[in-house]
Amino acid sequence: MASVFHHFLLVLVFLDTHAAQPFCLPGCTCSEESFGRTLQCISVSLGKIPGNLSEEFKQVRIENSPLFEMPQGSFINMSTLEYLWLNFNNISVIHLGALEHLPELRELRLEGNRLRSVPWTAFRATPLLRVLDLKRNKIDALPELALQFLVSLTYLDLSSNRLTVVSRSVFLNWPAYLKRRQPDCGAGILSSLVVALHDNPWVCDCRLRGLVQFVKSITLPVILVNSYLICRGPLSKAGQLFHETELSTCMKPQISTPSANVTIRVGQNVTLRCLAQASPSPSIAWTYPLSMWREFDVLTSSTGEDTALSELAIPAAHLVDSGNYTCMASNSIGKSTLVISLHVQPAQALHAPDSLSIPSEGNAYIDLRVVKQTVHGILLEWLAVADTSEEEWFTLHIASDEAFRKEVVHIGPGINTYAVDNLLPGTKYKACLSREDQPPHQGQCVVFVTGRDGGGLEARERLLHVTVVLCVVLLAVPVGAYAWAARGPCSCSKWVLCYCLHCRKAPSCPPAAPQCRDGSFREHPAVCDDGEGHIDTEGDKEKEGIEENS
């Protein structure tokens, strides 16, 4: 009887001892350390921070888990937590209230995560934090007041991030730094401040001048883990140590040009130049009235450490190119603009009396494009500018292989649009824009081909929706040049067929095809992209349909 009673007592003691042990997460380990109870979850598949953790834990260590965020209220029951290690997870977001209810937190380690930014005001809730480890993240910016609530911090690790420029005000405004700089605060008793800033892609231009000066003059109580900070850019400073580089003060761009007024005649090439001096180096952009229609090549190069030259090249200038060209240079300090006036005069105005002149009817500017495709057709848009001050009308001709399809529309100069609807399958269309008093072949043309009708309305819509775009070719033929192109060995209409088939099956074009792709085509390439719903067998049928209607 006594032995039975003794056994019963042992069971009660075991149950009482087991009940006293706090809960531990499956797959994790819990232990008692000198500073308190610890939870370790290493390589455990935790999608989020558990919400039922015991308030008795003094340290929580979760590493190599698929954690992607620290949400608000993650540690609502852990007011006594002192050490939080969340290294080598996938954390990319820290919510503003994630550190609430952690007034006793001493260490926060987030090494090897995917943080691009940190809500620095969240540290208002952790006044006792002494260690903040953020190395090996993707942090690319550090606000000037980032450290204002880290009053007790003594170790800050921002190494191996993506910091390029940081103001020295970040550290000059750090309360822990200011406290140690005061002569009557007993700085000899306070511990030193340890900061790690190495292995960042520092851009050593004028914006980093303050930090470079701070690093050069740094003394106790601040200690750099690695004092050999290296410039990654710009190219002229790459590889230099902070202690070896000298940086100038920042200034907004100052722009100049060899000539602010340029006069040329029709057909001449001209290059407008804009020279900008600034620190940091400026970016340069050009604006002019017809930039949506007349796209010119712009080459920007560096002629010095803080100097950039931008050149806008206009080939074969037209009367329509006359106007003001604005060069705008900008950097982080400010921006400046410069206006260059270009005057394009008719050819006969600058020619000698006995020289040949270009007829005035050849100087109108016409640019015709396909800008949109609808279910049943396409949308044309064009810019037409006359060479005289008198009001002049233009004519849009739309024709197809079918005799009954022919449209003539009379429209004034400027920017206009016209929808070509109810296109027939297996048909080649041509739209030309010319002066009202000129025949259609003297204008600029767009040629496009539709594929075969698949039978029903749904199939036809799909056919038009894909094939029209596949075989649209923009022929940027200057006024008066279309007839010449058609007389060549490879007519433009045949070149359309060849080019579209080339996109599908890549056959060899006739040797004369390049004659249809001279400089006038550079701004309007053929639109030949594979569309959805096309397979090889359908491509063969398409090819047959185009050949029969070409």
Side-chain angles (χ1 to χ4, degrees):
M1 185 70 180
S3 61
V4 173
F5 180 75
H6 178 70
H7 180 72
F8 178 72
L9 289 177
L10 289 177
V11 171
L12 289 178
V13 171
F14 173 79
L15 292 175
D16 183 67
T17 303
H18 182 74
Q21 295 293 330
F23 172 75
C24 191
L25 291 175
C28 303
T29 60
C30 299
S31 61
E32 294 290 341
E33 305 294 339
S34 58
F35 49 82
R37 187 163 178 79
T38 297
L39 170 68
Q40 293 190 27
C41 300
I42 311 298
S43 300
V44 178
S45 182
L46 294 177
K48 62 179 182 178
I49 297 175
N52 58 343
L53 297 179
S54 172
E55 61 180 357
E56 297 183 1
F57 285 118
K58 294 294 184 179
Q59 182 186 51
V60 171
R61 184 179 178 185
I62 303 175
E63 298 182 355
N64 295 312
S65 293
L67 292 179
F68 66 92
E69 67 172 343
M70 290 177 61
Q72 184 173 358
S74 300
F75 308 97
I76 191 170
N77 297 321
M78 307 188 69
S79 58
T80 62
L81 186 68
E82 297 184 10
Y83 306 93
L84 179 59
W85 292 11
L86 300 173
N87 299 319
F88 306 109
N89 297 302
N90 293 317
I91 298 175
S92 59
V93 177
I94 300 178
H95 291 266
L96 190 59
L99 300 178
E100 291 179 349
H101 314 293
L102 294 177
E104 301 294 324
L105 191 65
R106 264 68 169 176
E107 284 190 16
L108 177 59
R109 297 183 181 271
L110 291 161
E111 177 185 356
N113 281 279
R114 298 183 179 182
L115 293 170
R116 294 184 179 274
S117 62
V118 176
W120 297 98
T121 55
F123 295 110
R124 191 197 302 264
T126 58
L128 301 181
L129 190 66
R130 298 178 60 84
V131 175
L132 179 58
D133 186 354
L134 296 169
K135 63 175 171 283
R136 294 189 178 90
N137 277 276
K138 300 179 180 181
I139 300 172
D140 57 5
L142 200 60
E144 289 194 6
L145 298 178
L147 309 182
Q148 63 176 326
F149 297 117
L150 297 168
V151 294
S152 301
L153 198 69
T154 59
Y155 180 87
L156 174 64
D157 196 336
L158 290 165
S159 62
S160 300
N161 275 276
R162 296 181 179 179
L163 296 173
T164 56
V165 176
V166 171
S167 171
R168 65 176 175 181
S169 299
V170 173
F171 303 99
L172 297 181
N173 293 328
W174 187 7
Y177 176 77
L178 294 175
K179 184 188 299 185
R180 286 160 175 77
R181 296 291 294 177
Q182 296 176 1
D184 56 345
C185 70
I189 301 175
L190 296 174
S191 59
S192 297
L193 300 176
V194 180
V195 180
L197 297 172
H198 56 279
D199 293 334
N200 278 286
W202 299 110
V203 176
C204 293
D205 57 25
C206 68
R207 296 169 296 173
L208 203 64
R209 185 169 183 262
L211 182 64
V212 169
Q213 291 178 340
F214 177 78
V215 170
K216 288 181 179 180
S217 61
I218 203 168
T219 57
L220 291 174
V222 179
I223 299 174
L224 289 178
V225 173
N226 185 344
S227 59
Y228 297 101
L229 303 184
I230 301 176
C231 302
R232 186 76 61 86
L235 188 60
S236 59
K237 301 289 186 182
Q240 290 187 13
L241 297 174
F242 276 26
H243 291 86
E244 298 174 350
T245 187
E246 296 293 335
L247 301 178
S248 59
T249 57
C250 293
M251 66 175 183
K252 67 181 259 185
Q254 298 178 353
I255 310 180
S256 61
T257 183
S259 178
N261 287 279
V262 180
T263 301
I264 61 171
R265 67 175 181 268
V266 168
Q268 283 188 322
N269 301 333
V270 63
T271 300
L272 306 182
R273 293 178 173 85
C274 176
L275 184 68
Q277 291 181 313
S279 183
S281 297
S283 60
I284 301 178
W286 291 84
T287 59
Y288 45 96
L290 294 180
S291 57
M292 292 289 293
W293 292 88
R294 300 281 282 168
E295 299 177 5
F296 302 121
D297 291 334
V298 175
L299 175 63
T300 302
S301 57
S302 176
T303 60
E305 184 174 341
D306 296 322
T307 305
L309 174 65
S310 184
E311 298 177 307
L312 184 145
I314 304 177
H318 193 277
L319 290 175
V320 73
D321 295 323
S322 295
N324 291 332
Y325 291 73
T326 302
C327 170
M328 183 177 68
S330 60
N331 64 6
S332 58
I333 308 302
K335 65 179 180 180
S336 300
T337 59
L338 176 70
V339 177
I340 301 177
S341 296
L342 176 64
H343 308 277
V344 182
Q345 297 182 354
Q348 60 267 30
L350 297 180
H351 279 184
D354 57 347
S355 61
L356 296 176
S357 62
I358 300 176
S360 60
E361 60 267 23
N363 291 331
Y365 178 79
I366 297 174
D367 194 339
L368 179 64
R369 304 177 180 182
V370 176
V371 295
K372 186 179 180 181
Q373 180 188 352
T374 64
V375 173
H376 298 285
I378 62 172
L379 181 66
L380 298 174
E381 184 177 27
W382 66 87
L383 168 66
V385 181
D387 58 347
T388 63
S389 58
E390 299 178 359
E391 183 177 2
E392 184 167 354
W393 288 75
F394 293 83
T395 303
L396 175 66
H397 302 262
I398 303 174
S400 69
D401 291 342
E402 303 292 337
F404 59 87
R405 175 71 188 221
K406 186 174 182 180
E407 298 179 25
V408 178
V409 183
H410 301 284
I411 304 176
I415 298 176
N416 294 279
T417 59
Y418 186 80
V420 184
D421 295 324
N422 298 318
L423 295 177
L424 297 175
T427 306
K428 180 173 65 178
Y429 292 87
K430 180 170 67 174
C432 294
L433 187 66
S434 65
R435 284 186 166 187
E436 188 177 25
D437 58 348
Q438 301 293 329
H441 65 270
Q442 293 292 330
Q444 182 179 0
C445 298
V446 172
V447 178
F448 53 95
V449 181
T450 62
R452 282 189 170 184
D453 192 348
L457 177 61
E458 180 181 354
R460 180 187 171 191
E461 289 181 355
R462 183 190 64 79
L463 185 64
L464 293 177
H465 184 71
V466 177
T467 310
V468 170
V469 171
L470 280 174
C471 294
V472 168
V473 179
L474 305 184
L475 303 181
V477 181
V479 174
Y482 182 81
W484 169 83
R487 285 197 303 266
C490 170
S491 68
C492 287
S493 59
K494 292 181 179 179
W495 182 84
V496 173
L497 174 62
C498 175
Y499 196 94
C500 291
L501 294 182
H502 176 74
C503 291
R504 301 300 301 159
K505 294 298 181 180
S508 59
C509 289
Q515 295 186 24
C516 296
R517 300 186 64 188
D518 58 9
S520 61
F521 298 126
R522 293 172 186 169
E523 296 181 3
H524 306 279
V527 181
C528 278
D529 297 321
D530 288 333
E532 295 180 0
H534 281 276
I535 58 177
D536 290 342
T537 56
E538 292 182 355
D540 293 336
K541 294 178 181 179
E542 256 179 47
K543 179 177 177 180
E544 294 173 2
I546 295 173
E547 290 174 347
E548 292 177 5
N549 293 279
S550 58

